[in-house]
Amino acid sequence: EVQMVESGGGLVPPGKSLRLACTTSGFAFDEFAMHWVRQAPGKGLEWVSGIDWSNAGRGYADSVRGRFIISRDNARKSIYLQMDNLRPEDTALYFCARDVGRTLGYPESWGQGIRVTVSS
Amino acid sequence: IQLTQSPSSLSASVGDSVVITCQTSQDISYFLSWYQQKPGKAPKLLIHDASILESGVTSRFSGGGSGTDFTLTISSLQPEDIATYYCHQYDNFPFTFGPGTKVEIK
């Protein structure tokens, strides 16, 4: 069974950093691109970032470019989202999702999400 | 690329046919997917490449369109279809989602 489990969320003051992790199982991790998608409370989905199978191709939403960095560790079957200079508007449920293929396309399978709250 | 969906919400009777539209600000060919999200749950992929139904998804869902105009049709609406539906473009970075369409039963 394909599984993604997010961790690392929590409450953090504005301007601080947080690192999210997504640990996967049930599939050949190094053959799939991965995504982070977030959802602010009561709001819609926002694509945050994605990384291809080889670590070479990455993309970011305009709202996080320059502050967030996505990475992956194929040996650990995990992806990460380093979030720096956090803002209150980054408060959201962050989903990790597996793509359908090696290069970045559409998310196919999703984790249950991890909550991040940015507040003083 | 900006995505607009209409309507933002709708209320229909069980058995009705429902159409949700998604318009993109530039031509994305067929690089569009549709997701269903129920309250408190992760999104579920319904359709990719504009019209290809995911395995295991009921054939009451269908997708169409290309370029800048797309549709999601739910034929014979059922109570379990109550959810918010999002379109998503994956043609160009940054990828983007539409604002969502909330579907309710009348």
mmCIF file of all heavy atoms in Angstrom, chain A residues 3 5 10 20-22 25 32 40 42-43 45-46 48 52 56 61 64 79 82 85 91 95 99 102 105 113:
data_model
loop_
_atom_site.group_PDB
_atom_site.id
_atom_site.type_symbol
_atom_site.label_atom_id
_atom_site.label_comp_id
_atom_site.label_asym_id
_atom_site.label_seq_id
_atom_site.Cartn_x
_atom_site.Cartn_y
_atom_site.Cartn_z
ATOM 1 N N GLN A 3 1.979 4.707 0.959
ATOM 2 C CA GLN A 3 1.753 5.543 2.135
ATOM 3 C C GLN A 3 2.736 6.695 2.190
ATOM 4 O O GLN A 3 3.920 6.531 1.871
ATOM 5 C CB GLN A 3 1.895 4.708 3.418
ATOM 6 C CG GLN A 3 0.652 3.911 3.776
ATOM 7 C CD GLN A 3 0.656 3.465 5.231
ATOM 8 O OE1 GLN A 3 1.689 3.078 5.767
ATOM 9 N NE2 GLN A 3 -0.505 3.505 5.863
ATOM 10 N N VAL A 5 3.690 9.700 5.119
ATOM 11 C CA VAL A 5 3.450 10.187 6.472
ATOM 12 C C VAL A 5 4.273 11.443 6.687
ATOM 13 O O VAL A 5 5.514 11.404 6.645
ATOM 14 C CB VAL A 5 3.807 9.125 7.524
ATOM 15 C CG1 VAL A 5 3.586 9.682 8.929
ATOM 16 C CG2 VAL A 5 2.963 7.866 7.313
ATOM 17 N N GLY A 10 4.014 22.126 13.458
ATOM 18 C CA GLY A 10 3.850 22.673 14.802
ATOM 19 C C GLY A 10 3.614 24.157 14.772
ATOM 20 O O GLY A 10 3.342 24.744 13.722
ATOM 21 N N LEU A 20 9.762 20.281 7.375
ATOM 22 C CA LEU A 20 8.816 19.184 7.268
ATOM 23 C C LEU A 20 9.487 17.976 6.613
ATOM 24 O O LEU A 20 10.368 18.142 5.767
ATOM 25 C CB LEU A 20 7.606 19.584 6.425
ATOM 26 C CG LEU A 20 6.798 20.796 6.884
ATOM 27 C CD1 LEU A 20 5.587 20.982 5.983
ATOM 28 C CD2 LEU A 20 6.382 20.659 8.332
ATOM 29 N N ALA A 21 9.054 16.803 7.005
ATOM 30 C CA ALA A 21 9.526 15.565 6.401
ATOM 31 C C ALA A 21 8.328 14.735 5.956
ATOM 32 O O ALA A 21 7.245 14.816 6.550
ATOM 33 C CB ALA A 21 10.381 14.769 7.378
ATOM 34 N N CYS A 22 8.529 13.971 4.900
ATOM 35 C CA CYS A 22 7.505 13.048 4.413
ATOM 36 C C CYS A 22 8.189 11.702 4.175
ATOM 37 O O CYS A 22 9.051 11.589 3.301
ATOM 38 C CB CYS A 22 6.890 13.571 3.125
ATOM 39 S SG CYS A 22 5.842 12.374 2.259
ATOM 40 N N SER A 25 6.332 4.710 1.969
ATOM 41 C CA SER A 25 6.467 3.254 1.923
ATOM 42 C C SER A 25 5.488 2.702 0.906
ATOM 43 O O SER A 25 4.552 3.399 0.490
ATOM 44 C CB SER A 25 6.196 2.634 3.302
ATOM 45 O OG SER A 25 4.878 2.943 3.732
ATOM 46 N N PHE A 32 9.686 8.056 -8.574
ATOM 47 C CA PHE A 32 8.564 8.989 -8.599
ATOM 48 C C PHE A 32 8.962 10.397 -8.171
ATOM 49 O O PHE A 32 9.727 10.583 -7.231
ATOM 50 C CB PHE A 32 7.437 8.502 -7.680
ATOM 51 C CG PHE A 32 6.753 7.270 -8.177
ATOM 52 C CD1 PHE A 32 7.219 6.017 -7.821
ATOM 53 C CD2 PHE A 32 5.644 7.365 -9.009
ATOM 54 C CE1 PHE A 32 6.600 4.860 -8.285
ATOM 55 C CE2 PHE A 32 5.011 6.225 -9.474
ATOM 56 C CZ PHE A 32 5.494 4.973 -9.118
ATOM 57 N N ALA A 40 -4.686 26.314 3.621
ATOM 58 C CA ALA A 40 -4.926 27.185 4.767
ATOM 59 C C ALA A 40 -6.302 26.878 5.344
ATOM 60 O O ALA A 40 -7.186 26.380 4.634
ATOM 61 C CB ALA A 40 -4.835 28.644 4.332
ATOM 62 N N GLY A 42 -9.892 26.567 6.106
ATOM 63 C CA GLY A 42 -11.096 26.995 5.406
ATOM 64 C C GLY A 42 -10.894 27.441 3.970
ATOM 65 O O GLY A 42 -11.815 27.976 3.348
ATOM 66 N N LYS A 43 -9.698 27.221 3.437
ATOM 67 C CA LYS A 43 -9.374 27.688 2.087
ATOM 68 C C LYS A 43 -9.125 26.528 1.144
ATOM 69 O O LYS A 43 -9.240 25.360 1.514
ATOM 70 C CB LYS A 43 -8.126 28.586 2.135
ATOM 71 C CG LYS A 43 -8.263 29.788 3.044
ATOM 72 C CD LYS A 43 -9.364 30.742 2.595
ATOM 73 C CE LYS A 43 -9.423 31.970 3.477
ATOM 74 N NZ LYS A 43 -10.532 32.889 3.080
ATOM 75 N N LEU A 45 -6.846 24.454 -2.077
ATOM 76 C CA LEU A 45 -5.536 23.836 -2.201
ATOM 77 C C LEU A 45 -4.563 24.795 -2.884
ATOM 78 O O LEU A 45 -4.937 25.536 -3.799
ATOM 79 C CB LEU A 45 -5.639 22.555 -3.031
ATOM 80 C CG LEU A 45 -6.567 21.472 -2.495
ATOM 81 C CD1 LEU A 45 -6.698 20.347 -3.519
ATOM 82 C CD2 LEU A 45 -6.055 20.945 -1.166
ATOM 83 N N GLU A 46 -3.312 24.775 -2.433
ATOM 84 C CA GLU A 46 -2.257 25.568 -3.054
ATOM 85 C C GLU A 46 -1.043 24.673 -3.278
ATOM 86 O O GLU A 46 -0.479 24.137 -2.317
ATOM 87 C CB GLU A 46 -1.864 26.772 -2.197
ATOM 88 C CG GLU A 46 -0.767 27.620 -2.821
ATOM 89 C CD GLU A 46 -0.256 28.738 -1.928
ATOM 90 O OE1 GLU A 46 -0.547 28.728 -0.716
ATOM 91 O OE2 GLU A 46 0.436 29.630 -2.430
ATOM 92 N N VAL A 48 2.660 23.963 -3.530
ATOM 93 C CA VAL A 48 3.784 24.654 -2.899
ATOM 94 C C VAL A 48 5.091 24.382 -3.637
ATOM 95 O O VAL A 48 5.826 25.313 -3.970
ATOM 96 C CB VAL A 48 3.920 24.213 -1.422
ATOM 97 C CG1 VAL A 48 5.178 24.805 -0.788
ATOM 98 C CG2 VAL A 48 2.673 24.613 -0.635
ATOM 99 N N ASP A 52 11.559 16.277 -8.869
ATOM 100 C CA ASP A 52 11.500 15.078 -9.693
ATOM 101 C C ASP A 52 12.311 13.943 -9.060
ATOM 102 O O ASP A 52 12.934 14.108 -8.010
ATOM 103 C CB ASP A 52 11.921 15.373 -11.126
ATOM 104 C CG ASP A 52 13.424 15.619 -11.287
ATOM 105 O OD1 ASP A 52 14.187 15.412 -10.330
ATOM 106 O OD2 ASP A 52 13.815 16.024 -12.395
ATOM 107 N N ALA A 56 16.948 16.713 -9.581
ATOM 108 C CA ALA A 56 17.437 17.781 -10.451
ATOM 109 C C ALA A 56 16.358 18.803 -10.780
ATOM 110 O O ALA A 56 16.626 19.994 -10.865
ATOM 111 C CB ALA A 56 17.991 17.177 -11.739
ATOM 112 N N ALA A 61 6.022 27.511 -5.785
ATOM 113 C CA ALA A 61 5.012 28.547 -5.914
ATOM 114 C C ALA A 61 5.671 29.912 -5.723
ATOM 115 O O ALA A 61 6.665 30.033 -4.991
ATOM 116 C CB ALA A 61 3.921 28.342 -4.873
ATOM 117 N N VAL A 64 6.335 31.138 -2.108
ATOM 118 C CA VAL A 64 7.343 30.544 -1.217
ATOM 119 C C VAL A 64 8.747 30.555 -1.817
ATOM 120 O O VAL A 64 9.722 30.240 -1.111
ATOM 121 C CB VAL A 64 6.974 29.091 -0.844
ATOM 122 C CG1 VAL A 64 5.557 29.033 -0.275
ATOM 123 C CG2 VAL A 64 7.131 28.150 -2.022
ATOM 124 N N ILE A 79 11.044 12.908 1.455
ATOM 125 C CA ILE A 79 11.259 14.258 0.967
ATOM 126 C C ILE A 79 11.147 15.222 2.143
ATOM 127 O O ILE A 79 10.580 14.885 3.183
ATOM 128 C CB ILE A 79 10.283 14.680 -0.160
ATOM 129 C CG1 ILE A 79 8.830 14.716 0.351
ATOM 130 C CG2 ILE A 79 10.420 13.789 -1.371
ATOM 131 C CD1 ILE A 79 7.884 15.454 -0.605
ATOM 132 N N GLN A 82 12.228 22.531 3.708
ATOM 133 C CA GLN A 82 12.828 23.486 4.625
ATOM 134 C C GLN A 82 12.117 24.817 4.430
ATOM 135 O O GLN A 82 12.136 25.384 3.334
ATOM 136 C CB GLN A 82 14.328 23.630 4.336
ATOM 137 C CG GLN A 82 15.016 24.670 5.198
ATOM 138 C CD GLN A 82 15.033 24.302 6.664
ATOM 139 O OE1 GLN A 82 15.236 23.145 7.027
ATOM 140 N NE2 GLN A 82 14.839 25.286 7.534
ATOM 141 N N ASN A 85 12.023 31.894 7.240
ATOM 142 C CA ASN A 85 11.348 33.191 7.264
ATOM 143 C C ASN A 85 9.830 33.010 7.164
ATOM 144 O O ASN A 85 9.162 33.626 6.312
ATOM 145 C CB ASN A 85 11.868 34.079 6.131
ATOM 146 C CG ASN A 85 11.393 35.507 6.241
ATOM 147 O OD1 ASN A 85 10.994 35.975 7.318
ATOM 148 N ND2 ASN A 85 11.413 36.213 5.126
ATOM 149 N N THR A 91 0.513 29.569 7.444
ATOM 150 C CA THR A 91 -0.277 28.688 8.292
ATOM 151 C C THR A 91 -1.203 27.838 7.428
ATOM 152 O O THR A 91 -1.997 28.367 6.641
ATOM 153 C CB THR A 91 -1.124 29.503 9.289
ATOM 154 O OG1 THR A 91 -0.238 30.169 10.185
ATOM 155 C CG2 THR A 91 -2.082 28.607 10.064
ATOM 156 N N PHE A 95 0.275 18.914 2.825
ATOM 157 C CA PHE A 95 0.171 17.543 2.314
ATOM 158 C C PHE A 95 1.415 17.179 1.508
ATOM 159 O O PHE A 95 1.891 17.981 0.692
ATOM 160 C CB PHE A 95 -1.034 17.397 1.380
ATOM 161 C CG PHE A 95 -2.372 17.560 2.025
ATOM 162 C CD1 PHE A 95 -3.070 18.753 1.916
ATOM 163 C CD2 PHE A 95 -2.960 16.496 2.703
ATOM 164 C CE1 PHE A 95 -4.332 18.898 2.482
ATOM 165 C CE2 PHE A 95 -4.220 16.630 3.271
ATOM 166 C CZ PHE A 95 -4.899 17.836 3.159
ATOM 167 N N ASP A 99 3.750 11.862 -7.162
ATOM 168 C CA ASP A 99 3.359 12.076 -8.553
ATOM 169 C C ASP A 99 3.045 10.735 -9.217
ATOM 170 O O ASP A 99 3.258 9.669 -8.629
ATOM 171 C CB ASP A 99 4.514 12.764 -9.280
ATOM 172 C CG ASP A 99 4.091 13.436 -10.558
ATOM 173 O OD1 ASP A 99 3.849 12.727 -11.545
ATOM 174 O OD2 ASP A 99 3.987 14.672 -10.575
ATOM 175 N N ARG A 102 8.092 9.888 -13.009
ATOM 176 C CA ARG A 102 9.405 10.373 -12.585
ATOM 177 C C ARG A 102 9.530 11.889 -12.661
ATOM 178 O O ARG A 102 10.214 12.504 -11.828
ATOM 179 C CB ARG A 102 10.490 9.750 -13.466
ATOM 180 C CG ARG A 102 10.666 8.259 -13.259
ATOM 181 C CD ARG A 102 11.790 7.722 -14.137
ATOM 182 N NE ARG A 102 11.999 6.311 -13.900
ATOM 183 C CZ ARG A 102 13.176 5.761 -13.638
ATOM 184 N NH1 ARG A 102 14.257 6.533 -13.578
ATOM 185 N NH2 ARG A 102 13.282 4.470 -13.452
ATOM 186 N N GLY A 105 4.469 16.094 -12.669
ATOM 187 C CA GLY A 105 3.170 16.162 -13.327
ATOM 188 C C GLY A 105 2.123 16.428 -12.273
ATOM 189 O O GLY A 105 2.207 17.424 -11.559
ATOM 190 N N GLY A 113 -1.503 14.801 5.821
ATOM 191 C CA GLY A 113 -1.188 16.199 6.103
ATOM 192 C C GLY A 113 -0.632 16.429 7.490
ATOM 193 O O GLY A 113 -0.846 15.639 8.416
#
